PDB file of all heavy atoms in Angstrom:
ATOM      1  N   THR A 246      13.774 104.247 114.055  1.00  0.00           N
ATOM      2  CA  THR A 246      14.317 104.015 112.695  1.00  0.00           C
ATOM      3  C   THR A 246      15.705 103.823 112.678  1.00  0.00           C
ATOM      4  O   THR A 246      16.469 104.236 113.644  1.00  0.00           O
ATOM      5  CB  THR A 246      13.944 105.195 111.795  1.00  0.00           C
ATOM      6  OG1 THR A 246      14.702 106.370 112.188  1.00  0.00           O
ATOM      7  CG2 THR A 246      12.530 105.554 111.724  1.00  0.00           C
ATOM      8  N   SER A 247      16.266 103.184 111.636  1.00  0.00           N
ATOM      9  CA  SER A 247      17.693 102.910 111.601  1.00  0.00           C
ATOM     10  C   SER A 247      18.003 102.575 110.095  1.00  0.00           C
ATOM     11  O   SER A 247      17.198 102.057 109.383  1.00  0.00           O
ATOM     12  CB  SER A 247      18.163 101.812 112.466  1.00  0.00           C
ATOM     13  OG  SER A 247      19.517 101.554 112.337  1.00  0.00           O
ATOM     14  N   VAL A 248      19.281 102.926 109.707  1.00  0.00           N
ATOM     15  CA  VAL A 248      19.742 102.435 108.436  1.00  0.00           C
ATOM     16  C   VAL A 248      20.026 100.917 108.399  1.00  0.00           C
ATOM     17  O   VAL A 248      20.249 100.363 107.403  1.00  0.00           O
ATOM     18  CB  VAL A 248      20.945 103.195 107.987  1.00  0.00           C
ATOM     19  CG1 VAL A 248      20.645 104.691 107.783  1.00  0.00           C
ATOM     20  CG2 VAL A 248      22.199 103.109 109.019  1.00  0.00           C
ATOM     21  N   ASP A 249      20.160 100.325 109.627  1.00  0.00           N
ATOM     22  CA  ASP A 249      20.440  98.916 109.742  1.00  0.00           C
ATOM     23  C   ASP A 249      19.596  98.465 110.963  1.00  0.00           C
ATOM     24  O   ASP A 249      19.995  98.624 112.193  1.00  0.00           O
ATOM     25  CB  ASP A 249      21.914  98.626 109.903  1.00  0.00           C
ATOM     26  CG  ASP A 249      22.316  97.185 109.995  1.00  0.00           C
ATOM     27  OD1 ASP A 249      21.462  96.356 110.413  1.00  0.00           O
ATOM     28  OD2 ASP A 249      23.386  96.837 109.506  1.00  0.00           O
ATOM     29  N   ILE A 250      18.406  97.852 110.677  1.00  0.00           N
ATOM     30  CA  ILE A 250      17.510  97.493 111.734  1.00  0.00           C
ATOM     31  C   ILE A 250      18.116  96.545 112.731  1.00  0.00           C
ATOM     32  O   ILE A 250      18.072  96.692 113.933  1.00  0.00           O
ATOM     33  CB  ILE A 250      16.187  96.901 111.087  1.00  0.00           C
ATOM     34  CG1 ILE A 250      15.424  98.005 110.333  1.00  0.00           C
ATOM     35  CG2 ILE A 250      15.324  96.405 112.312  1.00  0.00           C
ATOM     36  CD1 ILE A 250      14.202  97.489 109.684  1.00  0.00           C
ATOM     37  N   LYS A 251      18.748  95.466 112.214  1.00  0.00           N
ATOM     38  CA  LYS A 251      19.339  94.470 113.074  1.00  0.00           C
ATOM     39  C   LYS A 251      20.448  95.009 114.001  1.00  0.00           C
ATOM     40  O   LYS A 251      20.379  94.754 115.194  1.00  0.00           O
ATOM     41  CB  LYS A 251      19.928  93.400 112.240  1.00  0.00           C
ATOM     42  CG  LYS A 251      20.618  92.210 113.041  1.00  0.00           C
ATOM     43  CD  LYS A 251      20.939  91.012 112.168  1.00  0.00           C
ATOM     44  CE  LYS A 251      22.095  91.430 111.175  1.00  0.00           C
ATOM     45  NZ  LYS A 251      22.480  90.276 110.325  1.00  0.00           N
ATOM     46  N   ARG A 252      21.324  95.838 113.417  1.00  0.00           N
ATOM     47  CA  ARG A 252      22.415  96.333 114.260  1.00  0.00           C
ATOM     48  C   ARG A 252      21.855  97.302 115.338  1.00  0.00           C
ATOM     49  O   ARG A 252      22.226  97.244 116.507  1.00  0.00           O
ATOM     50  CB  ARG A 252      23.418  97.121 113.377  1.00  0.00           C
ATOM     51  CG  ARG A 252      24.590  97.699 114.168  1.00  0.00           C
ATOM     52  CD  ARG A 252      25.504  98.420 113.207  1.00  0.00           C
ATOM     53  NE  ARG A 252      25.988  97.537 112.178  1.00  0.00           N
ATOM     54  CZ  ARG A 252      26.718  98.007 111.089  1.00  0.00           C
ATOM     55  NH1 ARG A 252      26.895  99.273 110.995  1.00  0.00           N
ATOM     56  NH2 ARG A 252      27.148  97.167 110.212  1.00  0.00           N
ATOM     57  N   ARG A 253      20.869  98.109 114.917  1.00  0.00           N
ATOM     58  CA  ARG A 253      20.336  99.032 115.886  1.00  0.00           C
ATOM     59  C   ARG A 253      19.634  98.295 117.055  1.00  0.00           C
ATOM     60  O   ARG A 253      19.755  98.724 118.208  1.00  0.00           O
ATOM     61  CB  ARG A 253      19.343 100.016 115.189  1.00  0.00           C
ATOM     62  CG  ARG A 253      18.781 101.054 116.139  1.00  0.00           C
ATOM     63  CD  ARG A 253      19.824 102.024 116.662  1.00  0.00           C
ATOM     64  NE  ARG A 253      19.306 102.950 117.609  1.00  0.00           N
ATOM     65  CZ  ARG A 253      19.447 102.835 118.895  1.00  0.00           C
ATOM     66  NH1 ARG A 253      20.156 101.809 119.415  1.00  0.00           N
ATOM     67  NH2 ARG A 253      18.983 103.710 119.733  1.00  0.00           N
ATOM     68  N   VAL A 254      18.762  97.390 116.698  1.00  0.00           N
ATOM     69  CA  VAL A 254      18.078  96.671 117.766  1.00  0.00           C
ATOM     70  C   VAL A 254      18.930  95.892 118.642  1.00  0.00           C
ATOM     71  O   VAL A 254      18.783  95.853 119.915  1.00  0.00           O
ATOM     72  CB  VAL A 254      17.032  95.695 117.161  1.00  0.00           C
ATOM     73  CG1 VAL A 254      16.410  94.758 118.196  1.00  0.00           C
ATOM     74  CG2 VAL A 254      15.965  96.430 116.419  1.00  0.00           C
ATOM     75  N   ARG A 255      20.069  95.322 118.150  1.00  0.00           N
ATOM     76  CA  ARG A 255      21.041  94.707 118.993  1.00  0.00           C
ATOM     77  C   ARG A 255      21.660  95.632 120.029  1.00  0.00           C
ATOM     78  O   ARG A 255      21.915  95.200 121.139  1.00  0.00           O
ATOM     79  CB  ARG A 255      22.185  94.086 118.159  1.00  0.00           C
ATOM     80  CG  ARG A 255      21.905  92.734 117.544  1.00  0.00           C
ATOM     81  CD  ARG A 255      22.982  92.272 116.646  1.00  0.00           C
ATOM     82  NE  ARG A 255      22.877  90.911 116.264  1.00  0.00           N
ATOM     83  CZ  ARG A 255      23.718  90.255 115.376  1.00  0.00           C
ATOM     84  NH1 ARG A 255      24.721  90.887 114.923  1.00  0.00           N
ATOM     85  NH2 ARG A 255      23.476  89.029 115.046  1.00  0.00           N
ATOM     86  N   SER A 256      21.784  96.900 119.650  1.00  0.00           N
ATOM     87  CA  SER A 256      22.436  97.825 120.556  1.00  0.00           C
ATOM     88  C   SER A 256      21.654  98.037 121.823  1.00  0.00           C
ATOM     89  O   SER A 256      22.214  98.527 122.853  1.00  0.00           O
ATOM     90  CB  SER A 256      22.681  99.123 119.785  1.00  0.00           C
ATOM     91  OG  SER A 256      21.490  99.823 119.580  1.00  0.00           O
ATOM     92  N   TYR A 257      20.360  97.824 121.782  1.00  0.00           N
ATOM     93  CA  TYR A 257      19.581  97.973 123.001  1.00  0.00           C
ATOM     94  C   TYR A 257      19.892  96.933 124.071  1.00  0.00           C
ATOM     95  O   TYR A 257      19.512  97.239 125.223  1.00  0.00           O
ATOM     96  CB  TYR A 257      18.071  97.835 122.648  1.00  0.00           C
ATOM     97  CG  TYR A 257      17.490  99.044 121.837  1.00  0.00           C
ATOM     98  CD1 TYR A 257      17.457  99.046 120.459  1.00  0.00           C
ATOM     99  CD2 TYR A 257      16.916 100.185 122.572  1.00  0.00           C
ATOM    100  CE1 TYR A 257      16.994 100.131 119.784  1.00  0.00           C
ATOM    101  CE2 TYR A 257      16.463 101.190 121.791  1.00  0.00           C
ATOM    102  CZ  TYR A 257      16.490 101.134 120.488  1.00  0.00           C
ATOM    103  OH  TYR A 257      15.955 102.203 119.713  1.00  0.00           O
ATOM    104  N   PHE A 258      20.534  95.941 123.773  1.00  0.00           N
ATOM    105  CA  PHE A 258      20.944  94.885 124.721  1.00  0.00           C
ATOM    106  C   PHE A 258      22.323  94.983 125.149  1.00  0.00           C
ATOM    107  O   PHE A 258      22.937  94.000 125.614  1.00  0.00           O
ATOM    108  CB  PHE A 258      20.628  93.491 124.173  1.00  0.00           C
ATOM    109  CG  PHE A 258      19.195  93.503 123.490  1.00  0.00           C
ATOM    110  CD1 PHE A 258      19.136  93.304 122.178  1.00  0.00           C
ATOM    111  CD2 PHE A 258      18.086  93.657 124.274  1.00  0.00           C
ATOM    112  CE1 PHE A 258      17.897  93.295 121.498  1.00  0.00           C
ATOM    113  CE2 PHE A 258      16.809  93.656 123.673  1.00  0.00           C
ATOM    114  CZ  PHE A 258      16.712  93.452 122.252  1.00  0.00           C
ATOM    115  N   THR A 259      23.020  96.162 124.956  1.00  0.00           N
ATOM    116  CA  THR A 259      24.479  96.256 125.213  1.00  0.00           C
ATOM    117  C   THR A 259      24.698  97.445 126.055  1.00  0.00           C
ATOM    118  O   THR A 259      23.775  98.194 126.393  1.00  0.00           O
ATOM    119  CB  THR A 259      25.285  96.429 123.922  1.00  0.00           C
ATOM    120  OG1 THR A 259      24.851  97.692 123.316  1.00  0.00           O
ATOM    121  CG2 THR A 259      24.952  95.307 122.948  1.00  0.00           C
ATOM    122  N   GLU A 260      25.942  97.603 126.507  1.00  0.00           N
ATOM    123  CA  GLU A 260      26.331  98.756 127.331  1.00  0.00           C
ATOM    124  C   GLU A 260      26.179 100.130 126.640  1.00  0.00           C
ATOM    125  O   GLU A 260      25.998 101.085 127.293  1.00  0.00           O
ATOM    126  CB  GLU A 260      27.767  98.594 127.803  1.00  0.00           C
ATOM    127  CG  GLU A 260      28.225  99.618 128.768  1.00  0.00           C
ATOM    128  CD  GLU A 260      29.710  99.458 129.086  1.00  0.00           C
ATOM    129  OE1 GLU A 260      30.486  98.810 128.303  1.00  0.00           O
ATOM    130  OE2 GLU A 260      30.175  99.999 130.163  1.00  0.00           O
ATOM    131  N   SER A 261      26.132 100.124 125.314  1.00  0.00           N
ATOM    132  CA  SER A 261      25.975 101.386 124.600  1.00  0.00           C
ATOM    133  C   SER A 261      24.650 102.056 124.840  1.00  0.00           C
ATOM    134  O   SER A 261      24.449 103.224 124.653  1.00  0.00           O
ATOM    135  CB  SER A 261      26.194 101.126 123.061  1.00  0.00           C
ATOM    136  OG  SER A 261      25.181 100.332 122.591  1.00  0.00           O
ATOM    137  N   GLU A 262      23.667 101.271 125.302  1.00  0.00           N
ATOM    138  CA  GLU A 262      22.359 101.812 125.555  1.00  0.00           C
ATOM    139  C   GLU A 262      22.403 102.412 127.037  1.00  0.00           C
ATOM    140  O   GLU A 262      22.329 101.584 128.026  1.00  0.00           O
ATOM    141  CB  GLU A 262      21.273 100.803 125.417  1.00  0.00           C
ATOM    142  CG  GLU A 262      19.809 101.354 125.669  1.00  0.00           C
ATOM    143  CD  GLU A 262      19.516 102.595 124.924  1.00  0.00           C
ATOM    144  OE1 GLU A 262      19.385 102.642 123.649  1.00  0.00           O
ATOM    145  OE2 GLU A 262      19.521 103.703 125.649  1.00  0.00           O
ATOM    146  N   LYS A 263      22.457 103.714 127.184  1.00  0.00           N
ATOM    147  CA  LYS A 263      22.561 104.355 128.473  1.00  0.00           C
ATOM    148  C   LYS A 263      21.250 104.813 129.080  1.00  0.00           C
ATOM    149  O   LYS A 263      21.166 105.089 130.282  1.00  0.00           O
ATOM    150  CB  LYS A 263      23.463 105.589 128.355  1.00  0.00           C
ATOM    151  CG  LYS A 263      24.874 105.240 127.747  1.00  0.00           C
ATOM    152  CD  LYS A 263      25.731 104.329 128.633  1.00  0.00           C
ATOM    153  CE  LYS A 263      27.099 104.138 128.075  1.00  0.00           C
ATOM    154  NZ  LYS A 263      27.920 103.308 128.893  1.00  0.00           N
ATOM    155  N   ARG A 264      20.197 104.983 128.210  1.00  0.00           N
ATOM    156  CA  ARG A 264      18.912 105.601 128.686  1.00  0.00           C
ATOM    157  C   ARG A 264      18.171 104.661 129.592  1.00  0.00           C
ATOM    158  O   ARG A 264      17.878 103.479 129.243  1.00  0.00           O
ATOM    159  CB  ARG A 264      18.104 105.977 127.517  1.00  0.00           C
ATOM    160  CG  ARG A 264      18.763 107.096 126.621  1.00  0.00           C
ATOM    161  CD  ARG A 264      17.966 107.252 125.284  1.00  0.00           C
ATOM    162  NE  ARG A 264      18.071 106.028 124.432  1.00  0.00           N
ATOM    163  CZ  ARG A 264      17.452 105.875 123.261  1.00  0.00           C
ATOM    164  NH1 ARG A 264      16.664 106.900 122.898  1.00  0.00           N
ATOM    165  NH2 ARG A 264      17.634 104.779 122.590  1.00  0.00           N
ATOM    166  N   ARG A 265      17.811 105.095 130.721  1.00  0.00           N
ATOM    167  CA  ARG A 265      17.095 104.284 131.823  1.00  0.00           C
ATOM    168  C   ARG A 265      15.720 103.860 131.189  1.00  0.00           C
ATOM    169  O   ARG A 265      15.313 102.665 131.390  1.00  0.00           O
ATOM    170  CB  ARG A 265      16.950 105.041 133.014  1.00  0.00           C
ATOM    171  CG  ARG A 265      16.072 104.380 134.143  1.00  0.00           C
ATOM    172  CD  ARG A 265      16.629 103.026 134.537  1.00  0.00           C
ATOM    173  NE  ARG A 265      15.789 102.308 135.463  1.00  0.00           N
ATOM    174  CZ  ARG A 265      15.843 102.503 136.749  1.00  0.00           C
ATOM    175  NH1 ARG A 265      16.692 103.364 137.313  1.00  0.00           N
ATOM    176  NH2 ARG A 265      15.048 101.833 137.575  1.00  0.00           N
ATOM    177  N   ARG A 266      15.065 104.757 130.470  1.00  0.00           N
ATOM    178  CA  ARG A 266      13.743 104.418 130.005  1.00  0.00           C
ATOM    179  C   ARG A 266      13.762 103.279 128.915  1.00  0.00           C
ATOM    180  O   ARG A 266      12.888 102.453 128.870  1.00  0.00           O
ATOM    181  CB  ARG A 266      12.975 105.591 129.508  1.00  0.00           C
ATOM    182  CG  ARG A 266      13.545 106.282 128.345  1.00  0.00           C
ATOM    183  CD  ARG A 266      12.953 107.611 128.002  1.00  0.00           C
ATOM    184  NE  ARG A 266      13.526 108.301 126.916  1.00  0.00           N
ATOM    185  CZ  ARG A 266      13.160 108.096 125.579  1.00  0.00           C
ATOM    186  NH1 ARG A 266      12.136 107.291 125.322  1.00  0.00           N
ATOM    187  NH2 ARG A 266      13.770 108.734 124.640  1.00  0.00           N
ATOM    188  N   MET A 267      14.869 103.260 128.187  1.00  0.00           N
ATOM    189  CA  MET A 267      15.006 102.281 127.166  1.00  0.00           C
ATOM    190  C   MET A 267      15.270 100.867 127.912  1.00  0.00           C
ATOM    191  O   MET A 267      14.840  99.872 127.348  1.00  0.00           O
ATOM    192  CB  MET A 267      16.146 102.553 126.257  1.00  0.00           C
ATOM    193  CG  MET A 267      15.825 103.776 125.292  1.00  0.00           C
ATOM    194  SD  MET A 267      14.414 103.440 124.106  1.00  0.00           S
ATOM    195  CE  MET A 267      13.034 104.059 124.962  1.00  0.00           C
ATOM    196  N   ARG A 268      16.080 100.948 128.949  1.00  0.00           N
ATOM    197  CA  ARG A 268      16.247  99.683 129.608  1.00  0.00           C
ATOM    198  C   ARG A 268      15.043  99.164 130.277  1.00  0.00           C
ATOM    199  O   ARG A 268      14.730  97.960 130.285  1.00  0.00           O
ATOM    200  CB  ARG A 268      17.351  99.864 130.649  1.00  0.00           C
ATOM    201  CG  ARG A 268      18.744 100.163 130.081  1.00  0.00           C
ATOM    202  CD  ARG A 268      19.811 100.084 131.148  1.00  0.00           C
ATOM    203  NE  ARG A 268      21.128 100.336 130.435  1.00  0.00           N
ATOM    204  CZ  ARG A 268      22.307 100.178 131.039  1.00  0.00           C
ATOM    205  NH1 ARG A 268      22.247  99.785 132.307  1.00  0.00           N
ATOM    206  NH2 ARG A 268      23.440 100.364 130.374  1.00  0.00           N
ATOM    207  N   ASP A 269      14.154 100.072 130.722  1.00  0.00           N
ATOM    208  CA  ASP A 269      12.849  99.731 131.223  1.00  0.00           C
ATOM    209  C   ASP A 269      11.995  99.114 130.121  1.00  0.00           C
ATOM    210  O   ASP A 269      11.289  98.153 130.378  1.00  0.00           O
ATOM    211  CB  ASP A 269      12.089 100.903 131.901  1.00  0.00           C
ATOM    212  CG  ASP A 269      12.846 101.299 133.159  1.00  0.00           C
ATOM    213  OD1 ASP A 269      13.648 100.543 133.737  1.00  0.00           O
ATOM    214  OD2 ASP A 269      12.658 102.479 133.540  1.00  0.00           O
ATOM    215  N   MET A 270      12.145  99.658 128.984  1.00  0.00           N
ATOM    216  CA  MET A 270      11.305  99.175 127.827  1.00  0.00           C
ATOM    217  C   MET A 270      11.745  97.821 127.428  1.00  0.00           C
ATOM    218  O   MET A 270      10.931  96.877 127.158  1.00  0.00           O
ATOM    219  CB  MET A 270      11.502 100.202 126.638  1.00  0.00           C
ATOM    220  CG  MET A 270      10.766  99.831 125.387  1.00  0.00           C
ATOM    221  SD  MET A 270      11.606  98.643 124.320  1.00  0.00           S
ATOM    222  CE  MET A 270      12.948  99.605 123.776  1.00  0.00           C
ATOM    223  N   VAL A 271      13.073  97.574 127.426  1.00  0.00           N
ATOM    224  CA  VAL A 271      13.618  96.223 127.051  1.00  0.00           C
ATOM    225  C   VAL A 271      13.076  95.150 127.956  1.00  0.00           C
ATOM    226  O   VAL A 271      12.875  94.063 127.585  1.00  0.00           O
ATOM    227  CB  VAL A 271      15.100  96.261 126.951  1.00  0.00           C
ATOM    228  CG1 VAL A 271      15.735  94.858 126.921  1.00  0.00           C
ATOM    229  CG2 VAL A 271      15.568  97.106 125.830  1.00  0.00           C
ATOM    230  N   GLN A 272      12.937  95.460 129.295  1.00  0.00           N
ATOM    231  CA  GLN A 272      12.458  94.474 130.221  1.00  0.00           C
ATOM    232  C   GLN A 272      11.052  94.010 129.868  1.00  0.00           C
ATOM    233  O   GLN A 272      10.635  92.852 130.103  1.00  0.00           O
ATOM    234  CB  GLN A 272      12.529  95.039 131.596  1.00  0.00           C
ATOM    235  CG  GLN A 272      13.922  95.245 132.185  1.00  0.00           C
ATOM    236  CD  GLN A 272      13.899  95.805 133.553  1.00  0.00           C
ATOM    237  OE1 GLN A 272      12.838  96.012 134.171  1.00  0.00           O
ATOM    238  NE2 GLN A 272      15.089  95.991 134.151  1.00  0.00           N
ATOM    239  N   LEU A 273      10.235  94.955 129.323  1.00  0.00           N
ATOM    240  CA  LEU A 273       8.888  94.660 128.981  1.00  0.00           C
ATOM    241  C   LEU A 273       8.719  93.981 127.507  1.00  0.00           C
ATOM    242  O   LEU A 273       7.723  93.359 127.302  1.00  0.00           O
ATOM    243  CB  LEU A 273       8.017  95.905 129.037  1.00  0.00           C
ATOM    244  CG  LEU A 273       7.915  96.604 130.392  1.00  0.00           C
ATOM    245  CD1 LEU A 273       7.129  97.891 130.225  1.00  0.00           C
ATOM    246  CD2 LEU A 273       7.164  95.661 131.410  1.00  0.00           C
ATOM    247  N   ALA A 274       9.762  94.216 126.678  1.00  0.00           N
ATOM    248  CA  ALA A 274       9.602  93.770 125.351  1.00  0.00           C
ATOM    249  C   ALA A 274       9.650  92.271 125.166  1.00  0.00           C
ATOM    250  O   ALA A 274      10.396  91.604 125.802  1.00  0.00           O
ATOM    251  CB  ALA A 274      10.759  94.427 124.454  1.00  0.00           C
ATOM    252  N   GLU A 275       8.786  91.765 124.235  1.00  0.00           N
ATOM    253  CA  GLU A 275       8.762  90.368 123.956  1.00  0.00           C
ATOM    254  C   GLU A 275       8.914  90.045 122.486  1.00  0.00           C
ATOM    255  O   GLU A 275       9.197  88.902 122.042  1.00  0.00           O
ATOM    256  CB  GLU A 275       7.409  89.762 124.408  1.00  0.00           C
ATOM    257  CG  GLU A 275       7.196  89.823 125.976  1.00  0.00           C
ATOM    258  CD  GLU A 275       8.224  88.857 126.674  1.00  0.00           C
ATOM    259  OE1 GLU A 275       8.743  87.920 126.028  1.00  0.00           O
ATOM    260  OE2 GLU A 275       8.536  89.183 127.796  1.00  0.00           O
ATOM    261  N   GLN A 276       8.827  91.044 121.603  1.00  0.00           N
ATOM    262  CA  GLN A 276       9.051  90.908 120.266  1.00  0.00           C
ATOM    263  C   GLN A 276       9.357  92.238 119.556  1.00  0.00           C
ATOM    264  O   GLN A 276       9.171  93.284 120.116  1.00  0.00           O
ATOM    265  CB  GLN A 276       7.839  90.298 119.569  1.00  0.00           C
ATOM    266  CG  GLN A 276       6.584  91.103 119.685  1.00  0.00           C
ATOM    267  CD  GLN A 276       5.403  90.520 118.945  1.00  0.00           C
ATOM    268  OE1 GLN A 276       5.384  90.333 117.722  1.00  0.00           O
ATOM    269  NE2 GLN A 276       4.313  90.247 119.616  1.00  0.00           N
TER     270      GLN A 276
END
Side-chain angles (χ1 to χ4, degrees):
T246 65
S247 177
V248 296
D249 187 325
I250 295 174
K251 177 171 65 177
R252 181 182 301 171
R253 181 67 186 98
V254 171
R255 276 180 173 174
S256 72
Y257 287 91
F258 315 112
T259 67
E260 186 183 17
S261 62
E262 182 50 71
K263 306 292 186 183
R264 295 169 294 177
R265 174 62 183 272
R266 64 189 178 90
M267 288 296 97
R268 294 191 176 189
D269 293 342
M270 181 274 293
V271 167
Q272 290 182 0
L273 298 174
E275 293 295 334
Q276 59 176 301

